[in-house]
């Protein structure tokens, strides 16, 4: 399609159901304060593990946030996604009837789908056999239910796609939704992701040797791993012209994105491939490295990820590194929702003028090299114009999204 016919796309609504707060206002305030939403795991018995902490949404009451879904019919991940999307629509101020009558849909990312449901079914199978599986839970299991719940809650008749590219999935969803709106294939799209904390995911990351025993410390000299987290993140995308016509608050313009897959190792990220993805995102967004004011890092807190990520950034930015921080220090690793929360943090940074911090940072790892500003502790006031949001996943799936202040 000729460049002149592509629509400009903006983000006008944000929905966060997170371990540090529900609703974008509380979420942004928590980030700015460096508030950590990690504590002893309560949704499953973590006593067999050396690492017994998780980042859970402890005050999540689906019935209080949803207008149409029956919480008994849906899994927790689907409910997190639907609630975040309902909040994003409310935050946008758009007429819900207009949204449902238009060509609107949802693209949601996930790592483990309805893993809490799978955990329950697995327990039933072991103790009661195949015939002992609860039909209600079987119906909740398909990962496609996550986007399906969003459309069902909001009455949307457009695409309902669940993207299972693990920890970069929300950025994939954001890029996919951006393409649909700018190409005129949709009028409005909800993009984001959801995952729920459970013993299955916790055990998997522990088996990989990727778990921190206490708190995640991205970029710290003594970092030791992740803490599993959960949540639902959603962003409402619409054409710029429509947003201006209805007088909407514009958090950010989606300038572009890029995705690639190095597929060189199942779990270890590849610096060269990530650097290539960053360069492609810059090209697609029409920006150069010098214009990037802030990087919302993937920043898991594992020794390999953080070192590789900074090395990739250096390949693109040289000696001039923008501030780079990790909100996983506060949220834990929310899996498929992670880069969705990153995008929301970027929008808050653009609108409110601050850099989200890296909490729990005691000593920046000197092995990362000079000039690494991880915004330690609490948020920092700053004028931010263009931001870069990272999402990386097992299997080498990398996605970079670029957001800018609407001018």
């Amino acid at each position: 399609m000729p460049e002149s016919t592509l629509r400009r796309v903006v983000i006008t609504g944000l929905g966060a159901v997170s371990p540090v707060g529900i609703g974008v206002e509380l979420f942004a305030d928590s980030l700015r304060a460096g508030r950590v939403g990690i504590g002893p795991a309560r949704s499953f018995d973590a006593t067999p593990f050396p690492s017994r902490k998780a980042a859970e949404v402890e005050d999540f009451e689906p019935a209080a946030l949803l207008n149409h879904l029956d919480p008994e019919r849906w899994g927790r991940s689907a409910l997190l996604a639907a609630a975040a999307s309902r909040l994003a629509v409310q935050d946008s101020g758009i007429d819900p009837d207009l949204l449902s009558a238009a060509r609107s849909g949802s693209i949601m990312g996930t790592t483990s789908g309805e893993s809490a449901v799978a955990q329950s079914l697995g327990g039933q199978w072991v103790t009661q056999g195949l015939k002992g599986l609860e039909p209600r839970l079987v119906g909740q299991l398909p990962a496609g239910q996550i986007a399906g719940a969003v459309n069902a809650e909001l009455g949307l008749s457009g695409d309902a796609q669940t993207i299972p590219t693990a920890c970069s999935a929300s950025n994939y969803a954001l890029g996919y939704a951006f393409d649909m709106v700018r190409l005129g294939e949709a009028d409005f799209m909800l993009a984001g992701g959801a995952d729920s904390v459970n013993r299955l995911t916790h055990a998997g990351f522990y088996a990989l040797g990727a778990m921190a025993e206490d708190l995640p410390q991205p970029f710290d000299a003594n970092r030791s791993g992740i803490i599993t987290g959960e949540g639902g993140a959603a962003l409402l995308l619409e054409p710029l012209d429509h947003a201006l016509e209805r007088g909407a608050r514009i958090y950010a313009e989606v300038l572009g994105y890029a995705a690639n897959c190095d597929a060189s190792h199942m779990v270890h990220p590849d610096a060269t491939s990530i650097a290539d993805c960053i360069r492609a995102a810059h090209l697609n967004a029409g920006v150069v490295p010098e214009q990037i004011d802030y990087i919302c890092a993937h920043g898991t807190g594992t020794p390999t990820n953080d070192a590789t990520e900074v090395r990739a950034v250096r390949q693109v930015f040289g000696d001039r590194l923008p501030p780079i921080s990790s909100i996983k220090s506060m949220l834990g690793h929310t899996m498929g929702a992670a880069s969705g929360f990153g995008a929301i943090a970027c929008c808050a940074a653009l609108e409110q003028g601050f850099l989200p911090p890296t909490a729990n940072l005691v000593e920046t790892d000197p092995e990362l090299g000079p000039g690494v500003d991880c915004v330690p502790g609490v948020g920092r006031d700053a004028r931010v114009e263009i931001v870069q949001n990272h999402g990386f996943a097992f299997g080498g799936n990398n996605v970079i999204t670029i957001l800018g202040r609407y001018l």
Side-chain angles (χ1 to χ4, degrees), residues 369-392:
V372 179
D373 176 7
C374 300
V375 196
V378 297
R380 180 191 308 158
D381 291 344
R383 173 77 177 182
V384 182
E385 300 289 343
I386 300 178
V387 297
Q388 178 173 309
N389 184 37
H390 288 184
F392 312 139

Side-chain angles (χ1 to χ4, degrees), residues 44-197:
F44 66 97
D45 180 12
T47 54
F49 302 97
S51 178
R52 298 171 184 171
K53 291 186 175 181
E56 298 168 310
V57 187
E58 296 181 358
D59 51 354
F60 179 47
E61 295 291 342
L65 298 173
L66 300 171
N67 294 348
H68 298 300
L69 296 188
D70 177 1
E72 293 300 314
R73 294 185 57 189
W74 301 85
R76 184 173 177 86
S77 296
L79 293 170
L80 288 165
S85 297
R86 172 60 72 184
L87 290 172
V89 170
Q90 292 173 352
D91 180 59
S92 75
I94 197 168
D95 182 348
D97 291 334
L98 169 65
L99 186 68
S100 61
R103 296 177 303 162
S104 308
S106 64
I107 314 293
M108 290 287 136
T110 191
T111 292
S112 303
E114 289 292 1
S115 50
V117 175
Q119 176 185 303
S120 297
L121 288 170
Q124 291 178 359
W125 197 333
V126 169
T127 59
Q128 304 172 48
L130 185 59
K131 292 185 178 181
L133 300 185
E134 188 177 350
R136 177 182 65 89
L137 293 179
V138 174
Q140 294 176 3
L141 184 61
Q145 295 281 75
I146 295 174
V150 174
N151 278 30
E153 168 64 19
L154 298 172
L156 309 183
S157 58
D159 279 32
Q161 299 280 350
T162 302
I163 297 180
T165 48
C167 305
S168 60
S170 283
N171 257 0
Y172 271 104
L174 183 57
Y176 189 161
F178 166 62
D179 280 342
M180 293 191 70
V181 176
R182 71 169 173 162
L183 292 170
E185 296 178 1
D187 297 317
F188 308 96
M189 291 297 295
L190 275 300
D195 266 296
S196 52
V197 158

Side-chain angles (χ1 to χ4, degrees), residues 15 24 29 42 52 57 72 93 131 173 188 299 305-306 363 391 397:
V24 65
D29 288 347
R42 297 184 180 183
R52 298 171 184 171
V57 187
E72 293 300 314
K131 292 185 178 181
F188 308 96
N305 177 91
D306 296 2
E363 177 190 359
N397 290 292

Side-chain angles (χ1 to χ4, degrees), residues 11-375:
I11 297 168
T12 57
L14 303 175
V17 182
S18 84
V20 297
I22 295 175
V24 65
E25 184 176 350
L26 182 54
F27 178 79
D29 288 347
S30 295
L31 292 189
R32 198 161 192 161
R35 191 170 299 127
V36 177
I38 296 168
R42 297 184 180 183
S43 59
F44 66 97
D45 180 12
T47 54
F49 302 97
S51 178
R52 298 171 184 171
K53 291 186 175 181
E56 298 168 310
V57 187
E58 296 181 358
D59 51 354
F60 179 47
E61 295 291 342
L65 298 173
L66 300 171
N67 294 348
H68 298 300
L69 296 188
D70 177 1
E72 293 300 314
R73 294 185 57 189
W74 301 85
R76 184 173 177 86
S77 296
L79 293 170
L80 288 165
S85 297
R86 172 60 72 184
L87 290 172
V89 170
Q90 292 173 352
D91 180 59
S92 75
I94 197 168
D95 182 348
D97 291 334
L98 169 65
L99 186 68
S100 61
R103 296 177 303 162
S104 308
S106 64
I107 314 293
M108 290 287 136
T110 191
T111 292
S112 303
E114 289 292 1
S115 50
V117 175
Q119 176 185 303
S120 297
L121 288 170
Q124 291 178 359
W125 197 333
V126 169
T127 59
Q128 304 172 48
L130 185 59
K131 292 185 178 181
L133 300 185
E134 188 177 350
R136 177 182 65 89
L137 293 179
V138 174
Q140 294 176 3
L141 184 61
Q145 295 281 75
I146 295 174
V150 174
N151 278 30
E153 168 64 19
L154 298 172
L156 309 183
S157 58
D159 279 32
Q161 299 280 350
T162 302
I163 297 180
T165 48
C167 305
S168 60
S170 283
N171 257 0
Y172 271 104
L174 183 57
Y176 189 161
F178 166 62
D179 280 342
M180 293 191 70
V181 176
R182 71 169 173 162
L183 292 170
E185 296 178 1
D187 297 317
F188 308 96
M189 291 297 295
L190 275 300
D195 266 296
S196 52
V197 158
N198 59 91
R199 189 176 188 274
L200 179 68
T201 302
H202 191 90
F205 278 90
Y206 171 70
L208 287 170
M211 297 288 291
E213 288 191 18
D214 187 26
L215 292 174
Q217 294 180 279
F219 306 115
D220 194 276
N222 295 308
R223 65 189 183 277
S224 59
I226 76 164
I227 292 293
T228 55
E230 67 176 0
L235 304 92
L236 178 67
L237 281 64
E238 67 178 286
L240 172 62
D241 289 349
H242 187 272
L244 293 175
E245 181 181 342
R246 71 181 184 90
R249 172 177 51 190
I250 296 175
Y251 285 104
E253 181 174 3
V254 184
L255 301 179
Y257 76 100
N260 69 6
C261 181
D262 55 74
S264 63
H265 195 282
M266 188 60 211
V267 297
H268 288 179
D270 180 85
T272 299
S273 181
I274 292 170
D276 288 344
C277 193
I278 295 172
R279 293 188 187 99
H282 289 178
L283 178 65
N284 294 338
V287 301
V288 295
E290 291 75 20
Q291 292 178 277
I292 303 297
D293 297 314
Y294 166 68
I295 296 174
C296 189
H298 189 60
T300 61
T302 64
T304 299
N305 177 91
D306 296 2
T308 303
E309 187 165 11
V310 171
R311 190 160 63 250
V313 169
R314 287 192 185 279
Q315 289 184 27
V316 177
F317 290 84
D319 293 331
R320 184 263 175 194
L321 298 182
I324 177 171
S325 69
S326 173
I327 64 172
K328 289 183 178 67
S329 58
M330 296 168 277
L331 304 179
H333 195 333
T334 54
M335 307 298 159
S339 51
F341 283 127
I344 294 174
C346 286
C347 287
L350 289 163
E351 190 210 21
Q352 298 183 20
F354 77 100
L355 301 178
T358 304
N360 312 320
L361 183 63
V362 178
E363 177 190 359
T364 301
D365 186 354
E367 295 296 320
L368 299 177
V372 179
D373 176 7
C374 300
V375 196

